[in-house]
Amino acid sequence: ASPMFKIPGSREVCLWTGVINASRRSAEAAIQLYHKSLMLYPGGSSEIFETDGNSKQTVLIARKGFIRLAMREGVDIVPGFVFGEKWLYHVVPLPSFIKDFFMTSMRTPLILFFGTLFSWVPLKSMRGISVVFGKPIHVDQVADPTEEQVQVLFDRYYDEIRALFARYKYKYGYDKDEVLVIREA
């Protein structure tokens, strides 16, 4: 994520573990120059504020930039969902004006969280973390996709995300009444 590259020392850890900046330029370079596949979390910083381990809602912030990128580059998209992330840490609720100040003035989320013994070590959860993937969605290369073309692929991708959530939520410890909410950015 781009904010991680602004924290001293954090950039080096990210690069060491194979994480790149979340900018469009970095993603295009990874595909065009290095022929790399990308694993993206398209929700971005705003999605972090929607995470609440005690809520019956799992919220995703839907973005279209990665859809546009896949179409311009002609690379397939593999839908995936990470179950259990919301139980890794306790998040300290902050007033909206503080969160908004950091997002607008510094383009960096301010989120206070803690894990085991008030550290960065994740909480021990009986549920664990599980990642599931759907079938790849073939994407034809379109040099300048229209908004309608992007919307069709966007809808298809998020329909698959909804299906993955519904198919696996019970298996990975989510309650029967847990719902997936997808909000457009």
Side-chain angles (χ1 to χ4, degrees):
S2 298
M4 295 300 294
F5 283 77
K6 296 177 183 176
I7 301 170
S10 178
R11 176 183 181 276
E12 287 70 25
V13 171
C14 287
L15 292 172
W16 178 65
T17 58
V19 174
I20 64 171
N21 188 312
S23 70
R24 179 176 65 191
R25 191 175 70 143
S26 294
E28 287 172 345
I31 294 170
Q32 294 169 357
L33 301 176
Y34 304 110
H35 308 287
K36 298 283 186 181
S37 295
L38 302 177
M39 182 172 191
L40 303 172
Y41 291 91
S45 299
S46 54
E47 193 174 279
I48 293 171
F49 297 121
E50 300 287 342
T51 301
D52 180 358
N54 298 317
S55 173
K56 294 294 182 183
Q57 284 188 343
T58 296
V59 179
L60 297 182
I61 306 298
R63 298 180 183 274
K64 294 180 181 175
F66 76 100
I67 300 286
R68 224 174 259 104
L69 174 66
M71 294 180 84
R72 282 197 308 265
E73 301 299 329
V75 296
D76 293 349
I77 298 174
V78 180
F81 192 89
V82 180
F83 287 93
E85 276 184 316
K86 71 183 203 170
W87 298 307
L88 285 178
Y89 297 98
H90 289 294
V91 177
V92 177
L94 295 172
S96 294
F97 74 91
I98 293 174
K99 294 188 287 190
D100 293 344
F101 169 77
F102 276 87
M103 282 300 292
T104 55
S105 65
M106 304 173 120
R107 297 201 32 88
T108 300
L110 175 65
I111 183 166
L112 301 178
F113 64 92
F114 62 90
T116 303
L117 300 174
F118 297 96
S119 72
W120 284 19
V121 177
L123 296 167
K124 291 184 170 77
S125 171
M126 300 300 282
R127 302 171 201 184
I129 297 289
S130 300
V131 182
V132 296
F133 295 100
K135 294 179 180 170
I137 299 171
H138 177 72
V139 179
D140 291 322
Q141 189 167 12
V142 180
D144 190 22
T146 66
E147 195 55 41
E148 293 78 26
Q149 290 171 312
V150 170
Q151 188 65 44
V152 168
L153 186 55
F154 174 87
D155 291 341
R156 185 171 171 203
Y157 173 81
Y158 282 103
D159 285 346
E160 185 61 27
I161 294 295
R162 285 182 191 90
L164 287 172
F165 183 80
R167 189 176 317 132
Y168 292 105
K169 72 178 184 177
Y170 306 117
K171 181 176 181 177
Y172 296 115
Y174 285 62
D175 293 334
K176 187 177 189 178
D177 55 348
E178 182 90 19
V179 294
L180 177 64
V181 177
I182 299 176
R183 293 190 190 129
E184 285 197 46

